[in-house]
Amino acid sequence: MKILIHLLVLLSFSLNSLGQNNTVRERVSLDLNWKFLQQESKGAEQPNFNDHEWRTLNVPHDWSIEGEYKQDNSSGTMGAFLPGGIGWYRKQIEIKNFKKSEKYFIEFDGVYLNSDVWVNGHHLGFHPNGYMSFSYDLSPYLKEGNNTLAVRVDHSKIPSGRWYTGSGIYRHVWLTKTEDIYVPKSGTYIITDNFLDNQATVKVQTTLVNESGKSKKVIVKNSIRDHKGTIVKEVSEKVLLKKNTTVLLQDCDIKNPQLWSSATPVMYTMITEVIVNKKVKDHYETPFGIRNIEWRSKEGLFVNGEAVIIKGLSNHQDAGGAVGVAVPDDVLYRRLKMLKEMGCNALRTAHHPFAPEFYTMCDTMGFMVMDEAFDGWWTAKAPYDYGNYFDEYWEKDLEGLLKRDRNHPSVIIWSIGNEVRKFTAEQQKIVVDKVKSIDPTRPVTQGGGYIAPHIDISGFNGHGELKNELEKYHSEYPEKLIIGTEITHTLQTRGIYRTKTWYRTKDNPAPWEKPADFARIEKKVTKIPDLSEEEVFTGISKKYQSSYDNSIVRIGVRDEWKRVEALDYYVGNFRWTGFDYLGESFGWPGRTANFGIIDLAGFPKDHFYLYQSLWSNKPMVHLLPHWSHKGKEGVEIPVVIYTNCQSAELFLNNTSLGEKTMTTDGQLVWNVPYEKGTIKAVAKNDGIVVAEKFFTTVDKGTQLTLSSDKTLIYANNKDIIHCEISITDKYKNLDPNAQSSVEYEVLGPAKIIGSENGNILDISSNSTNFRNVFNGKCLLIIQATDKTGEITIKVKSTDLQPAILTVRAIDYIK
Ligand code: GAL
């Protein structure tokens, strides 16, 4: 939560405050009140261009997600059949008390893609990469009063990625003001070293820019503040700033440091002050952590001396069909919180850098990050992707990424690519050397890049799931550690079950596979026994996947996890994926392929609990499937329990069906002849019940039930209410088969951003006020405005009791 409060404080400055404090740096959000038009607009870069008719909106904004899913959109399966195009954004910024001696920088956290930016008609630059942050110096072109920013975003050539990319200014925008002696963006580099006798040395490298035109004597003071706000160390140095850029190196010893780990994410802050004639000319803060990461050959990963297994997830950056890639901070926070509850300790940014707030949240919530720079390199992987620009831009972009992210304690490893096509060992070396020249402290890996020698930790993607592949590699390269950059691939659809095991290549081939391909890999696939001789759940669309752990590509979750635990040189893995992501579907009308263990709406699937049972120590139990199977009376249904406890007992209508002791198989199975009622799992440690979960049959839901994650939000144009709509009986038991259409309405000071039900085949538009629930559930994402007051959310549907929920929006800072 601390991070969110910090963001709020940052956002609380209004642009008008710029210019009122003329001594030190200020950073304000430029997210609000942009004008937007989704078409080519000749001359729109000129200040006097008439944009009155354009729509007014706030960024982050993704225009693709506002569009219609259409089979003939050329984004196709890769881009979830959503549109691209050209969009223009314009914004007026008011600068008061403008001084030529002051510096103004605009920072874009991410624009998708091919952006051109102008201020007052001056072209500031072209930036093709849609994921890397970038900034421009506005100072030479600004004037007192109104200034016009214009941004052209060209996403007319699609597909530009192998997944859903979105379009537009989809991350935050900032304006930073400094004096002419200042620390530039990403101008500090902090390394923690020498962990001896409860002491750590913090090395800080400070870049100082002097644009005053004269040599200046300055004092540079670096102070370290701990998480309680106490200054624990200060170092000062007199420096003569002659040149434009000076780099200062200082060491600070910290006694008894509190160490950062994913379990104890303790942060420090480096406060850099540049003092001239006793006046603070600049004040620059860098959050950092002190931790000792060792990648010990043959032994694995050690954090602060303790062996740690990577319990990781790969994710794409979109947050489903409600928001696309314009992910509000609250939505990201909710998603990360779920992963934390599941016991996940590491995340991979597939296949590009994420928004800056992601890393800040990982620092403070405790996730280790594999920060991935690129998908491919010089050879494009999608027709119009960054491969077309790589040669000219990669070095600058990679440098920007490394400098942006290298102070985050969460970032423990860089990934320079993912299944890079047609690369040579020399090319790999060039990219690795570039990384090492900017950050020699972290190892480098590459998804599937183990075939060339220059990376430190050998990254295995899907190929590593095949039997004996890791073992074989290890016998050839015994010194190298292995990391599962993309392991395990399994598929599941929330609320869907099949009792017979499916192998993707054979039973539901991806567009790039043929069923015959299975014969080639069959011997190397770790098979999963069927749960029944005859399929119990028939008539399910082939596009949906089973939520038992039996819809796999090469290995199932439980077998894979046994391997991680058994092999010391295998440091852990990043499953493909945590969340369902838009794009890369198996064909129209699919929006995604269901690799996630959490659906597009953020509703957990059964695999969420399977991982929780493997990764978390907090006693838990989960059972599947649900218990509403009309027409299956008397049919034996396999009931599976996942738990991290010693044993579990299953009850049907209060009758015990027996207790089983947890084995290394990772699941307990009972074959239960179906009868209506309540099925309950209880989990025990030392014979004492420590967790329980139950499902009660609902043949037909009778009412809508609403719940929200908040009852109070701030009127700050940012805060989000996640509102869950479910169809239930009068006791609020979910009807897991309900698919009804629900109409929704929000009254008061809030707006609906979008809705999502997690159904990969639901291609209804985001711009309507109704949506079907999918297997009983749907999510509404609602955002604050700048007005306070009561927000009423109303939902109705034919033949169901309607529901109402209220939330209050209050003022946040006076
Ligand atoms: C991998 C690839 C991922 C995703 C996945 C789907 O090979 O690296 O980006 O495409 O396959 O199976």
Side-chain angles (χ1 to χ4, degrees):
M1 204 56 217
K2 225 183 284 162
I3 149 80
L4 291 185
I5 291 166
H6 180 65
L7 283 174
L8 283 176
V9 172
L10 280 175
L11 298 174
S12 71
F13 291 106
S14 85
L15 185 60
N16 289 338
S17 71
L18 274 184
Q20 283 164 10
N21 172 354
N22 61 5
T23 51
V24 237
R25 130 182 341 254
E26 288 176 62
R27 188 169 190 250
V28 297
S29 164
L30 288 191
D31 282 356
L32 304 185
N33 294 321
W34 288 79
K35 288 286 191 178
F36 173 71
L37 189 71
Q38 194 191 326
Q39 68 182 49
E40 184 60 292
S41 306
K42 291 263 174 293
E45 72 280 11
Q46 294 307 327
N48 54 1
F49 184 87
N50 184 351
D51 59 15
H52 287 3
E53 301 288 306
W54 290 18
R55 180 177 153 202
T56 303
L57 51 75
N58 301 335
V59 303
H61 169 242
D62 170 4
W63 81 68
S64 294
I65 209 67
E66 297 172 345
E68 303 280 329
Y69 297 94
K70 283 194 188 142
Q71 190 167 11
D72 59 1
N73 270 333
S74 47
S75 57
T77 51
M78 291 185 185
F81 301 97
L82 282 162
I86 292 177
W88 276 88
Y89 296 82
R90 283 169 54 90
K91 179 172 172 61
Q92 300 302 316
I93 51 173
E94 199 194 347
I95 306 288
K96 288 185 181 164
N97 304 325
F98 178 66
K99 290 196 186 69
K100 271 283 172 204
S101 62
E102 288 168 351
K103 303 289 302 173
Y104 289 82
F105 300 94
I106 188 163
E107 294 161 23
F108 291 92
D109 286 351
V111 179
Y112 202 86
L113 93 166
N114 295 330
S115 62
D116 281 283
V117 182
W118 292 263
V119 64
N120 297 332
H122 295 273
H123 187 236
L124 296 168
F126 169 67
H127 185 80
N129 192 299
Y131 309 108
M132 305 278 182
S133 306
F134 58 100
S135 77
Y136 296 114
D137 181 359
L138 301 180
S139 329
Y141 316 109
L142 289 182
K143 56 184 171 53
E144 177 74 22
N146 258 354
N147 292 267
T148 306
L149 281 171
V151 182
R152 178 179 183 270
V153 182
D154 185 351
H155 191 199
S156 52
K157 291 188 179 154
I158 47 177
S160 62
R162 297 185 302 107
W163 50 84
Y164 173 76
T165 61
S167 313
I169 304 181
Y170 72 100
R171 293 186 187 156
H172 297 301
V173 185
W174 306 92
L175 183 64
T176 293
K177 185 187 85 168
T178 67
E179 297 206 27
D180 52 10
I181 292 181
Y182 61 98
V183 180
K185 186 171 155 59
S186 310
T188 54
Y189 178 31
I190 297 162
I191 301 174
T192 55
D193 192 18
N194 288 344
F195 293 86
L196 295 169
D197 304 326
N198 291 331
Q199 178 167 311
T201 304
V202 177
K203 292 180 172 304
V204 55
Q205 182 174 311
T206 313
T207 301
L208 300 148
V209 179
N210 175 7
E211 291 197 49
S212 70
K214 297 177 216 140
S215 292
K216 281 270 159 74
K217 277 190 199 145
V218 303
I219 294 173
V220 179
K221 186 162 105 183
N222 271 311
S223 322
I224 297 178
R225 189 172 66 213
D226 70 10
H227 67 284
K228 293 188 193 132
T230 311
I231 300 293
V232 291
K233 187 78 193 178
E234 258 179 34
V235 285
S236 297
E237 199 154 326
K238 284 190 187 142
V239 189
L240 178 65
L241 295 186
K242 274 194 196 152
K243 296 184 234 149
N244 201 23
T245 300
T246 307
V247 178
L248 174 69
L249 306 179
Q250 289 166 304
D251 277 3
C252 327
D253 289 336
I254 301 272
K255 292 221 164 56
N256 300 316
Q258 287 201 272
L259 302 183
W260 187 97
S261 71
S262 62
T264 57
V266 184
M267 295 293 291
Y268 287 86
T269 305
M270 182 70 70
I271 304 166
T272 305
E273 287 174 307
V274 186
I275 302 160
V276 182
N277 297 333
K278 298 195 176 150
K279 192 174 148 208
V280 178
K281 280 275 191 181
D282 200 5
H283 175 116
Y284 184 83
E285 299 205 352
T286 313
F288 70 100
I290 301 177
R291 83 278 191 279
N292 184 15
I293 307 267
E294 294 167 275
W295 302 81
R296 296 189 197 157
S297 173
K298 297 181 185 160
E299 288 180 64
L301 172 65
F302 288 76
V303 178
N304 305 326
E306 277 182 30
V308 170
I309 294 180
I310 292 198
K311 301 169 175 174
L313 302 168
S314 298
N315 280 308
H316 276 301
Q317 65 173 344
D318 75 86
V323 300
V325 293
V327 183
D329 296 352
D330 274 5
V331 172
L332 178 63
Y333 180 69
R334 170 182 182 251
R335 288 160 77 86
L336 294 184
K337 219 164 68 172
M338 286 180 74
L339 302 185
K340 195 78 195 164
E341 274 161 28
M342 196 179 74
C344 163
N345 66 9
L347 298 166
R348 170 193 186 212
T349 65
H351 301 296
H352 51 76
F354 279 15
E357 59 270 19
F358 167 82
Y359 302 87
T360 306
M361 289 187 202
C362 288
D363 284 348
T364 53
M365 296 173 81
F367 290 100
M368 295 177 280
V369 174
M370 174 183 288
D371 205 357
E372 191 153 85
F374 308 112
D375 191 31
W377 297 342
W378 282 269
T379 303
K381 294 177 73 175
Y384 302 106
D385 76 10
Y386 185 65
N388 296 291
Y389 296 94
F390 193 80
D391 196 42
E392 192 178 340
Y393 289 92
W394 75 271
E395 232 178 314
K396 188 167 170 256
D397 284 339
L398 183 58
E399 187 168 330
L401 161 70
L402 296 164
K403 289 190 171 164
R404 187 194 73 171
D405 292 348
R406 66 187 175 175
N407 291 320
H408 288 285
S410 55
V411 176
I412 60 159
I413 186 166
W414 305 109
S415 165
I416 52 173
N418 170 62
E419 298 182 0
V420 177
R421 291 192 190 148
K422 295 189 191 155
F423 72 96
T424 63
E426 290 71 44
Q427 287 174 329
Q428 188 183 62
K429 183 165 185 325
I430 291 169
V431 183
V432 170
D433 286 351
K434 181 71 195 179
V435 174
K436 300 284 180 186
S437 73
I438 311 239
D439 178 37
T441 71
R442 293 172 175 87
V444 176
T445 190
Q446 184 184 326
Y450 58 90
I451 44 174
H454 300 291
I455 45 167
D456 303 303
I457 315 285
S458 300
F460 274 76
N461 276 14
H463 176 243
E465 294 172 352
L466 293 171
K467 271 186 200 160
N468 286 324
E469 285 301 325
L470 303 186
E471 291 83 346
K472 199 171 88 199
Y473 180 84
H474 176 68
S475 64
E476 280 172 43
Y477 304 95
E479 303 303 320
K480 286 255 183 183
L481 288 176
I482 293 177
I483 192 162
T485 32
E486 207 173 288
I487 296 178
T488 318
H489 294 75
T490 60
L491 300 114
Q492 49 276 305
T493 306
R494 176 175 56 80
I496 300 291
Y497 301 92
R498 240 180 231 116
T499 51
K500 294 191 72 93
T501 305
W502 272 39
Y503 302 93
R504 181 184 79 189
T505 319
K506 179 162 74 72
D507 299 299
N508 185 42
W512 57 90
E513 291 168 327
K514 292 186 212 71
D517 292 344
F518 191 68
R520 276 192 296 113
I521 58 164
E522 186 163 5
K523 277 206 194 100
K524 298 189 119 199
V525 168
T526 305
K527 299 258 181 79
I528 292 183
D530 292 332
L531 283 163
S532 64
E533 257 173 52
E534 292 296 314
E535 178 56 60
V536 173
F537 302 103
T538 49
I540 297 161
S541 161
K542 272 200 103 172
K543 299 225 158 115
Y544 293 143
Q545 305 291 320
S546 168
S547 289
Y548 288 112
D549 181 27
N550 63 359
S551 175
I552 72 168
V553 182
R554 305 168 195 92
I555 191 168
V557 171
R558 291 166 294 126
D559 288 317
E560 172 58 26
W561 200 248
K562 279 185 222 160
R563 212 163 59 135
V564 172
E565 288 187 324
L567 307 177
D568 285 343
Y569 56 85
Y570 185 25
V571 297
N573 58 28
F574 293 86
R575 93 158 255 116
W576 189 261
T577 51
F579 290 92
D580 275 343
Y581 53 95
L582 293 169
E584 228 190 10
S585 83
F586 286 9
W588 175 259
R591 297 187 289 155
T592 173
N594 262 166
F595 280 108
I597 53 179
I598 301 173
D599 75 11
L600 288 170
F603 296 132
K605 308 181 194 175
D606 294 295
H607 265 47
F608 174 92
Y609 302 101
L610 169 55
Y611 275 99
Q612 195 172 47
S613 73
L614 298 169
W615 287 357
S616 160
N617 293 328
K618 195 168 150 209
M620 59 73 63
V621 67
H622 179 69
L623 78 167
L624 62 148
H626 59 74
W627 208 240
S628 301
H629 303 285
K630 205 170 175 183
K632 293 243 176 287
E633 284 72 11
V635 176
E636 266 195 4
I637 293 181
V639 175
V640 171
I641 288 185
Y642 300 137
T643 181
N644 51 10
C645 301
Q646 291 162 353
S647 65
E649 189 170 0
L650 187 68
F651 293 86
L652 178 60
N653 294 328
N654 292 324
T655 304
S656 173
L657 303 181
E659 184 169 339
K660 295 186 194 240
T661 304
M662 198 60 199
T663 64
T664 52
D665 185 46
Q667 66 178 13
L668 300 173
V669 184
W670 284 254
N671 287 318
V672 184
Y674 179 68
E675 76 180 44
K676 281 186 187 184
T678 296
I679 187 135
K680 183 167 88 172
V682 304
K684 300 179 191 174
N685 279 337
D686 301 324
I688 296 165
V689 175
V690 283
E692 62 175 64
K693 193 159 194 169
F694 68 88
F695 294 122
T696 296
T697 306
V698 179
D699 275 341
K700 178 142 184 27
T702 50
Q703 67 174 59
L704 288 159
T705 295
L706 282 180
S707 66
S708 73
D709 59 341
K710 299 187 189 98
T711 53
L712 214 57
I713 56 169
Y714 290 115
N716 59 3
N717 281 304
K718 300 271 167 196
D719 277 13
I720 293 290
I721 305 163
H722 291 93
C723 179
E724 259 184 60
I725 306 171
S726 37
I727 295 184
T728 67
D729 65 8
K730 64 178 175 193
Y731 304 107
K732 305 210 168 162
N733 293 306
L734 184 76
D735 175 353
N737 300 304
Q739 317 291 341
S740 314
S741 174
V742 176
E743 197 180 318
Y744 43 81
E745 183 184 17
V746 170
L747 304 169
K751 60 176 192 235
I752 298 174
I753 300 196
S755 62
E756 176 59 84
N757 57 17
N759 182 359
I760 62 169
L761 303 181
D762 184 339
I763 48 161
S764 45
S765 158
N766 227 342
S767 58
T768 57
N769 64 338
F770 54 88
R771 189 174 274 268
N772 283 22
V773 297
F774 177 59
N775 292 336
K777 286 184 177 198
C778 171
L779 180 80
L780 267 186
I781 296 194
I782 298 162
Q783 189 163 47
T785 63
D786 58 358
K787 305 267 179 317
T788 59
E790 195 162 272
I791 300 159
T792 308
I793 302 151
K794 290 184 174 178
V795 286
K796 61 180 181 188
S797 177
T798 324
D799 296 335
L800 294 170
Q801 286 268 332
I804 291 193
L805 186 112
T806 55
V807 173
R808 211 146 53 85
I810 57 167
D811 255 350
Y812 68 107
I813 279 171
K814 286 284 178 204

